[in-house]
Amino acid sequence: MPTTPLDPPALAAGTLRVIPLGGLGEVGRNMTVFEYDGKLLVVDCGVLFPEEHQPGVDLILPDFEPIKHRLDDIVGVVLTHGHEDHIGAVPYLLKLKSDIPLIGSGLTLALIEAKLKEHRIRPYTLTVKEGQLEKVGPFDLEFIAVNHSIPDALAVAIRTPAGLVLATGDFKMDQLPLDGRITDLRAFARLGEEGVDLFLVDSTNADVPGFTPTERGIGPVLDQVIARAPRRVVVASFSSHVHRVQQVLDAAHANGRRVALLGRSMVRNMGIAADLGYLNVPDGVLIDYKKARDLPDDQIVYMSTGSQGEPMAVLSRMANLDHAIEPGEGDTIILASSQIPGNENAIYRVIDGLTKLGATVVHKGNAKVHVSGHAAAGELLYCYNILKPKNVLPVHGEYRHLMANAKLARETGIAEENTILGENGTVVDLRDGVAKVVGQMDIGFVYVDGSSVGEITDADLKDRRILGEEGFISVIVVVDSATGKIVSGPDIHARGVAEDDKVFDSVKPKIAAALAEAAKSGVSDNHALSQVVRRTIGRWVNQSLRRRPMIVPMVIEA
Amino acid sequence: MPTTPLDPPALAAGTLRVIPLGGLGEVGRNMTVFEYDGKLLVVDCGVLFPEEHQPGVDLILPDFEPIKHRLDDIVGVVLTHGHEDHIGAVPYLLKLKSDIPLIGSGLTLALIEAKLKEHRIRPYTLTVKEGQLEKVGPFDLEFIAVNHSIPDALAVAIRTPAGLVLATGDFKMDQLPLDGRITDLRAFARLGEEGVDLFLVDSTNADVPGFTPTERGIGPVLDQVIARAPRRVVVASFSSHVHRVQQVLDAAHANGRRVALLGRSMVRNMGIAADLGYLNVPDGVLIDYKKARDLPDDQIVYMSTGSQGEPMAVLSRMANLDHAIEPGEGDTIILASSQIPGNENAIYRVIDGLTKLGATVVHKGNAKVHVSGHAAAGELLYCYNILKPKNVLPVHGEYRHLMANAKLARETGIAEENTILGENGTVVDLRDGVAKVVGQMDIGFVYVDGSSVGEITDADLKDRRILGEEGFISVIVVVDSATGKIVSGPDIHARGVAEDDKVFDSVKPKIAAALAEAAKSGVSDNHALSQVVRRTIGRWVNQSLRRRPMIVPMVIEA
């Protein structure tokens, strides 16, 4: 695996270049760039959600640096499905050049168009379907149905004279999906016969043994829980999981209950899904949530957001009695969702809050109310055996997922040198069935915080981590510009360090003495004097409190 | 459940009062106070580890407030076993009064004595064994063997004229424990015959269906993994899990490998366990880690700390190549431990780091290398049926765990009014077989940060959270004390907000203008002027950056 930057050679004629810009070594911000004959095709353009060591960050974008100067060469962006980690960064790309065409299925484009509307961008789009062929610049595209935790997902085959590439996007192989739209293994077989030169394959669940159970198994469980619920039912799930919501609507309907949608994204996405025919709303089952509150408790199901314990989402607010619907004794709350690593504490805080209010909480841990959207190891083995690809580039996953996927590939007989373990920025060239790593670009994190994009740096985040762990102490000393004598201060203000600034009273004379000492030995530059202040109080804090807050000394002349 | 403070009545003669000070509604800082006839008995005195919303905190202690003024009344502290969440706060209690006697089993006392030595405290101790009876003040104590993820754990029965109480401490009911020391169900049966008036019972796994598998099942898996490992093996686990380490020693020995212990707490605890005969070290199997590095790779097992992804522990440092032992291709790393909720991201970062270096990582997710130390629902049902307690107070757990435990109690026929769902500070009085909630004390979090105990408040933590998410902007203006005119500034310094303080250049004239405006309308008080500065820059930051950093305005006269 290349780890140090290495400039790739100029792209030779007849060669396809593949550069993943995001999604390798992380779960999110999926984006891959394909280059042929001077033209670029982008597949997916998603966001990554920050972890706890990236405090205050709203979103993380793929690093567009390698393509920023070549926006005019982009012939299109293929979006494989409508999840944030595949479409969320499109607005930021289109802010650089708004007429880059977007290519995707009906639902995918509807979701990204709704999002772009909030950014006041009207995109150029090309709606495609499974089985469809499109020539986009030098790239011959074929779209293939795959099945995932959102309807209308597509894999894309990319043909150039350099060879045939298949990119799965996110997928699984549910053999009994709710909408009957299975991952098209006949198409995979046909491509396999033709010869797949490079296979970019979803790794998210490559380290999960066996097979992902069918989504259809969730319905009867929901039905049973709702049938037994004595009073109100609240179901929380992802706001784009159309089939999960479908099962909730069906189970509610079967039990004589009506459903009110809660949460802005839930209302918006299900509106789109229903309009386009992806969500089948049984007659009269939906009800406005304000009217729902007049129904008897045993005739209502609330379908809400907040299954990850997000503090501002509906479910957290319910748990904190900060929502019009206040859960209580006899209510049943179902978290029909995964627990994304890192969210467990937040999720359990919500579960505890709801339990404390008297509600019964049903979740993944105590009932079969969730299945994953990604192919597990057993399914991936099927893919490798049907496709028999010449080369494999595992994508979409932390390093351990990519590794596990490569191992599966090798177990089906693909040689180790043909399974490429890349990272973001790895440059892979394909020609005559041979795929080779030829370079490594330096790829960074692009942080969105408030309205700023890319302005917050890793150094700022380091400062935030120190401030968040330790707080800060600012020391201000005003000195006379002529004599160098202290005319005001030291004033000491601290936040997050001690309850009362009076604890610093004993160090003030030490600071004044240190400054006088420094002045005596000829130090007069304000920066140097600030360092004297920093050292003096830093040492004192370390010794007396055994802590290391950020120290911000300021010596000002007046 | 009482949620608002309510002063308990004066304690009537012949009544036993029970007040849990920690461990209810949380996993950690377990501590319960029993009062009879003016005397206090404490059972356990542990610490709680902070969550992400308590940044920078080292430890959280039980709130000693309700007993602080009655230290002379404490007749003893019973420690049920040697885990941090049951003994970790003892040094802080003994700092208030160093001669409070500690009562516990041999291993438990050895572990707390080692810890107290670091705090330079030599405690008064009373070593007890299962089956032993002791009169401590007005409390007749009987100690009963229970089995847990550390050897030598004890439950304690407390007899007073008010009735018989049984407190389990942490326990499970492994029927084939490594050391043959099973939870003494015969004693439980005998107490049941006698009549248990109040049962304080471990709730940690009450929401886990079925039975915790036997620790003995781990050995063969470790043996198999070690037998197949081509090069070095590193096993990470909790440093007090003597039986897990025992199984590693045995598996290493059986495979012709030697074992080096890594990590200060691992070396210390296993030294104690071996000295006291709890750990059986096969002849010659242990080796100093410096010498271990000279052995061939396939003849060594490193037993280390860091299974929770703690950044300073051995395993994280190995993953970051910041340790003398650098893992690589062919090495096998086994995480023989649980994943404590909230630690998943840190653990997976370590797993990814090790995988990236070429090591094979075996963990709970892909092999049977861990079992819990707590009784699951099936085991708890056995307890209830054998004991048939009159009243139950579930302890040790988040609210959902306590709730699940109470539900199990009711399923075995204990009436709802006899299962007490308490929280920290709930005051329960027991007399004539009747247990009643009679009050609710206001219990807070006591934060240890560096050398300060209880000085960091929730307000400081809120400041830290804001600083950590958003950073801060300080604005300093020096004004002439006579004329009120600005003589220096506004100087603006920010951390965690923007890469370059120059972004603030455009707001400086606005601040100066706002101050001039305020002065014109007669505002001269520095605090009021500071507020003008705060409002001006706050509005600007919110509009231009869409963020809300902490703003620290300072108007200084010179």
Side-chain angles (χ1 to χ4, degrees):
Chain A
M1 200 192 58
T3 48
T4 42
L6 171 73
D7 280 335
L11 183 56
T15 303
L16 176 76
R17 177 158 288 178
V18 184
I19 313 175
L21 294 187
L24 273 67
E26 60 201 4
V27 175
R29 64 166 184 160
N30 296 289
M31 180 170 184
T32 308
V33 176
F34 296 84
E35 178 175 5
Y36 189 84
D37 197 17
K39 296 294 174 189
L40 304 178
L41 178 77
V42 174
V43 174
D44 288 328
C45 186
V47 293
L48 172 67
F49 294 98
E51 290 189 11
E52 68 278 12
H53 64 282
Q54 294 154 328
V57 170
D58 299 327
L59 295 172
I60 304 169
L61 307 182
D63 190 346
F64 297 151
E65 200 53 46
I67 57 168
K68 248 183 187 158
H69 58 292
R70 297 191 57 191
L71 297 172
D72 290 339
D73 296 334
I74 302 177
V75 294
V77 178
V78 172
L79 302 169
T80 58
H81 64 281
H83 279 155
E84 287 299 307
D85 56 334
H86 289 255
I87 67 169
V90 168
Y92 301 93
L93 181 63
L94 293 200
K95 273 176 195 168
L96 302 181
K97 186 167 188 285
S98 65
D99 63 353
I100 298 173
L102 306 181
I103 304 160
S105 67
L107 181 63
T108 306
L109 290 180
L111 291 171
I112 184 64
E113 280 173 307
K115 177 179 282 293
L116 286 168
K117 207 171 173 183
E118 292 172 8
H119 290 264
R120 296 163 199 275
I121 299 174
R122 279 189 56 202
Y124 289 84
T125 58
L126 171 67
T127 309
V128 293
K129 268 193 172 172
E130 48 267 33
Q132 194 167 330
L133 301 170
E134 287 292 339
K135 189 168 177 64
V136 179
F139 304 97
D140 281 302
L141 307 182
E142 176 179 349
F143 298 93
I144 298 147
V146 292
N147 144 300
H148 184 40
S149 47
I150 187 170
D152 225 10
L154 292 169
V156 57
I158 303 166
R159 289 184 181 86
T160 62
L164 168 57
V165 177
L166 176 62
T168 61
D170 285 355
F171 83 115
K172 61 176 169 176
M173 304 216 291
D174 191 339
Q175 296 302 302
L176 295 168
L178 272 202
D179 60 1
R181 186 174 175 275
I182 54 176
T183 292
D184 189 354
L185 291 183
R186 283 193 187 175
F188 277 29
R190 177 171 46 75
L191 294 173
E193 293 282 346
E194 181 182 341
V196 172
D197 296 297
L198 179 62
F199 183 39
L200 279 72
V201 52
D202 180 9
S203 307
T204 314
N205 274 1
D207 64 350
V208 176
F211 294 79
T212 302
T214 177
E215 173 72 25
R216 208 173 280 249
I218 307 295
V221 181
L222 289 173
D223 186 82
Q224 215 173 31
V225 175
I226 292 175
R228 288 185 190 167
R231 297 189 55 201
R232 296 176 296 185
V233 174
V234 181
V235 186
S237 189
F238 291 111
S239 68
S240 62
H241 204 321
V242 178
H243 290 166
R244 195 63 50 81
V245 175
Q246 181 72 59
Q247 303 204 81
V248 173
L249 293 183
D250 294 344
H253 191 56
N255 287 285
R257 289 182 183 243
R258 303 185 71 185
V259 178
L261 303 176
L262 297 180
R264 207 170 58 99
S265 58
M266 181 64 75
V267 172
R268 187 189 68 190
N269 291 349
M270 291 309 132
I272 291 171
D275 286 350
L276 298 180
Y278 294 98
L279 184 72
N280 256 310
V281 182
D283 246 3
V285 78
L286 280 183
I287 183 170
D288 184 82
Y289 106 94
K290 280 177 191 158
K291 288 188 190 147
R293 292 160 63 191
D294 300 331
L295 287 178
D297 281 353
D298 61 355
Q299 289 179 25
I300 181 70
V301 172
Y302 294 102
M303 180 77 230
S304 91
T305 55
S307 63
Q308 295 305 307
E310 308 94 319
M312 303 309 293
V314 173
L315 203 65
S316 278
R317 286 166 48 213
M318 282 187 188
N320 294 328
L321 294 180
D322 180 26
H323 190 276
I325 296 158
E326 302 193 340
E329 206 67 49
D331 289 337
T332 304
I333 321 276
I334 307 172
L335 277 79
S337 54
S338 62
Q339 296 186 353
I340 295 178
N343 294 350
E344 292 86 352
N345 280 346
I347 295 170
Y348 281 123
R349 261 199 296 282
V350 170
I351 292 177
D352 274 319
L354 295 166
T355 309
K356 220 161 179 169
L357 295 171
T360 301
V361 184
V362 177
H363 56 90
K364 202 175 172 274
N366 56 24
K368 285 224 164 238
V369 290
H370 176 71
V371 297
S372 170
H374 298 271
E379 293 155 80
L380 292 169
L381 290 173
Y382 271 79
C383 283
Y384 286 122
N385 283 327
I386 289 177
L387 286 164
K388 293 268 173 230
K390 291 206 187 75
N391 300 281
V392 174
L393 176 63
V395 294
H396 311 341
E398 302 277 1
Y399 194 78
R400 66 183 179 281
H401 303 132
L402 307 180
M403 190 81 165
N405 209 348
K407 200 165 157 251
L408 294 172
R410 290 200 292 272
E411 282 171 355
T412 65
I414 299 167
E416 181 158 357
E417 64 266 30
N418 299 329
T419 59
I420 302 168
L421 277 168
E423 57 185 305
N424 294 332
T426 298
V427 183
V428 177
D429 279 1
L430 174 71
R431 192 195 164 104
D432 297 334
V434 180
K436 261 193 206 155
V437 173
V438 298
Q440 177 63 46
M441 292 186 171
D442 199 8
I443 295 286
F445 289 101
V446 178
Y447 301 112
V448 177
D449 185 1
S451 62
S452 71
V453 178
E455 283 167 30
I456 289 290
T457 63
D458 285 312
D460 293 314
L461 294 187
K462 194 181 168 196
D463 280 348
R464 287 185 185 178
R465 287 195 299 269
I466 295 170
L467 287 167
E469 293 270 306
E470 302 275 357
F472 75 91
I473 301 175
S474 73
V475 185
I476 303 150
V477 185
V478 183
V479 295
D480 186 291
S481 54
T483 67
K485 290 236 164 98
I486 294 178
V487 293
S488 173
D491 279 330
I492 302 186
H493 300 273
R495 296 301 285 267
V497 178
E499 211 175 346
D500 192 336
D501 282 345
K502 277 188 193 140
V503 301
F504 303 111
D505 283 352
S506 70
V507 73
K508 286 180 182 175
K510 288 185 217 285
I511 295 171
L515 283 174
E517 184 71 25
K520 228 199 280 177
S521 48
V523 180
S524 64
D525 155 43
N526 285 352
H527 179 73
L529 290 172
S530 294
Q531 295 309 315
V532 170
V533 173
R534 180 195 303 277
R535 271 198 306 276
T536 309
I537 188 162
R539 203 177 298 137
W540 179 85
V541 171
N542 188 10
Q543 278 168 8
S544 62
L545 302 177
R546 300 251 164 248
R547 285 190 254 149
R548 298 189 171 281
M550 183 179 286
I551 290 170
V552 189
M554 284 169 279
V555 175
I556 296 169
E557 283 180 21
Chain B
M1 200 192 60
T3 48
T4 42
L6 171 71
D7 280 335
L11 184 55
T15 303
L16 176 76
R17 179 157 286 178
V18 184
I19 313 174
L21 294 186
L24 273 67
E26 59 201 6
V27 175
R29 62 166 186 161
N30 296 289
M31 179 169 185
T32 307
V33 176
F34 297 84
E35 178 175 6
Y36 189 83
D37 197 18
K39 296 295 174 189
L40 305 177
L41 178 76
V42 175
V43 174
D44 289 328
C45 187
V47 293
L48 172 67
F49 293 98
E51 290 189 11
E52 69 279 11
H53 62 283
Q54 293 154 328
V57 170
D58 300 327
L59 294 171
I60 303 169
L61 306 182
D63 189 346
F64 298 150
E65 201 52 46
I67 56 168
K68 249 183 188 160
H69 58 293
R70 299 190 57 190
L71 298 172
D72 290 338
D73 297 335
I74 303 177
V75 294
V77 178
V78 172
L79 302 169
T80 58
H81 63 280
H83 279 156
E84 287 298 308
D85 56 336
H86 289 255
I87 67 169
V90 168
Y92 300 92
L93 181 64
L94 293 200
K95 274 177 195 168
L96 302 180
K97 185 167 189 285
S98 66
D99 63 354
I100 299 173
L102 306 180
I103 305 160
S105 67
L107 181 63
T108 306
L109 290 180
L111 290 171
I112 185 64
E113 281 174 306
K115 177 177 283 291
L116 286 167
K117 206 172 174 183
E118 292 172 7
H119 290 264
R120 296 163 198 276
I121 300 174
R122 278 190 54 202
Y124 290 84
T125 58
L126 171 66
T127 308
V128 293
K129 268 193 173 172
E130 48 267 34
Q132 194 166 330
L133 300 170
E134 287 292 340
K135 189 166 177 66
V136 178
F139 306 96
D140 281 302
L141 306 182
E142 176 180 349
F143 297 93
I144 299 145
V146 292
N147 142 303
H148 184 41
S149 46
I150 185 169
D152 225 9
L154 293 169
V156 59
I158 304 165
R159 289 183 182 85
T160 63
L164 168 57
V165 177
L166 175 63
T168 61
D170 285 353
F171 82 115
K172 60 176 171 178
M173 304 216 292
D174 192 338
Q175 296 301 303
L176 295 168
L178 273 202
D179 59 2
R181 187 174 174 277
I182 55 177
T183 293
D184 188 353
L185 291 183
R186 284 193 188 175
F188 277 29
R190 177 170 47 76
L191 294 173
E193 292 283 346
E194 180 182 343
V196 172
D197 296 297
L198 181 61
F199 183 40
L200 278 71
V201 51
D202 179 11
S203 307
T204 315
N205 275 1
D207 64 349
V208 177
F211 294 79
T212 302
T214 177
E215 174 71 26
R216 209 172 279 248
I218 308 294
V221 180
L222 289 174
D223 186 83
Q224 213 173 32
V225 174
I226 293 174
R228 287 185 190 167
R231 297 190 53 201
R232 295 175 297 185
V233 174
V234 180
V235 186
S237 190
F238 291 110
S239 68
S240 62
H241 204 320
V242 178
H243 290 165
R244 195 64 50 82
V245 176
Q246 182 71 59
Q247 302 204 79
V248 173
L249 294 182
D250 294 344
H253 191 57
N255 286 285
R257 290 181 182 243
R258 303 185 73 185
V259 177
L261 303 176
L262 297 179
R264 206 170 59 97
S265 58
M266 181 65 75
V267 171
R268 187 190 68 190
N269 292 348
M270 291 310 131
I272 291 171
D275 285 350
L276 297 180
Y278 295 97
L279 185 72
N280 257 310
V281 183
D283 246 3
V285 77
L286 280 184
I287 182 171
D288 184 83
Y289 105 93
K290 280 179 189 155
K291 288 188 191 146
R293 292 160 65 192
D294 300 331
L295 287 177
D297 280 353
D298 61 355
Q299 288 179 25
I300 181 70
V301 171
Y302 293 101
M303 181 76 230
S304 91
T305 56
S307 64
Q308 295 304 309
E310 307 93 319
M312 303 311 292
V314 173
L315 202 65
S316 278
R317 287 166 48 214
M318 281 186 189
N320 295 327
L321 295 180
D322 181 26
H323 189 277
I325 297 158
E326 302 194 339
E329 205 68 48
D331 289 338
T332 303
I333 321 277
I334 306 173
L335 277 80
S337 54
S338 63
Q339 296 186 354
I340 295 178
N343 294 350
E344 293 85 353
N345 279 347
I347 295 170
Y348 282 122
R349 262 198 296 281
V350 170
I351 293 178
D352 274 318
L354 295 167
T355 309
K356 220 160 178 169
L357 295 172
T360 301
V361 184
V362 177
H363 55 90
K364 203 176 172 274
N366 57 24
K368 286 226 165 236
V369 289
H370 176 70
V371 297
S372 170
H374 299 272
E379 293 155 80
L380 292 169
L381 290 174
Y382 271 79
C383 283
Y384 286 122
N385 283 328
I386 289 177
L387 287 164
K388 291 269 172 231
K390 291 205 188 76
N391 300 281
V392 174
L393 176 62
V395 294
H396 311 341
E398 302 278 359
Y399 194 77
R400 65 184 179 282
H401 303 131
L402 307 180
M403 190 80 165
N405 208 350
K407 201 166 158 250
L408 293 172
R410 289 201 292 272
E411 282 171 355
T412 64
I414 299 168
E416 180 157 359
E417 63 267 29
N418 298 330
T419 59
I420 302 168
L421 277 168
E423 56 185 306
N424 293 332
T426 298
V427 183
V428 178
D429 277 2
L430 174 72
R431 193 196 163 102
D432 297 334
V434 179
K436 262 193 205 156
V437 173
V438 298
Q440 176 63 46
M441 294 187 168
D442 200 10
I443 295 286
F445 289 101
V446 178
Y447 301 111
V448 178
D449 186 1
S451 61
S452 71
V453 178
E455 283 167 30
I456 287 291
T457 63
D458 285 313
D460 293 314
L461 294 187
K462 193 180 166 196
D463 279 349
R464 287 185 184 176
R465 287 195 297 270
I466 295 170
L467 289 167
E469 293 270 305
E470 302 274 359
F472 75 91
I473 302 176
S474 73
V475 185
I476 303 148
V477 185
V478 184
V479 296
D480 186 290
S481 54
T483 66
K485 290 237 165 99
I486 295 177
V487 294
S488 173
D491 279 330
I492 302 185
H493 300 274
R495 297 300 284 267
V497 179
E499 210 175 347
D500 192 336
D501 282 345
K502 277 188 195 141
V503 300
F504 302 111
D505 282 351
S506 69
V507 74
K508 287 181 182 173
K510 287 184 219 286
I511 295 170
L515 283 174
E517 183 72 24
K520 229 199 279 176
S521 48
V523 180
S524 64
D525 155 45
N526 284 353
H527 179 72
L529 290 172
S530 293
Q531 294 310 315
V532 170
V533 173
R534 180 196 303 276
R535 271 198 304 278
T536 309
I537 188 162
R539 203 176 298 136
W540 179 85
V541 170
N542 189 9
Q543 280 169 6
S544 63
L545 302 177
R546 299 251 165 248
R547 284 190 254 150
R548 298 188 170 282
M550 183 179 285
I551 291 170
V552 189
M554 284 170 278
V555 175
I556 295 169
E557 282 179 23

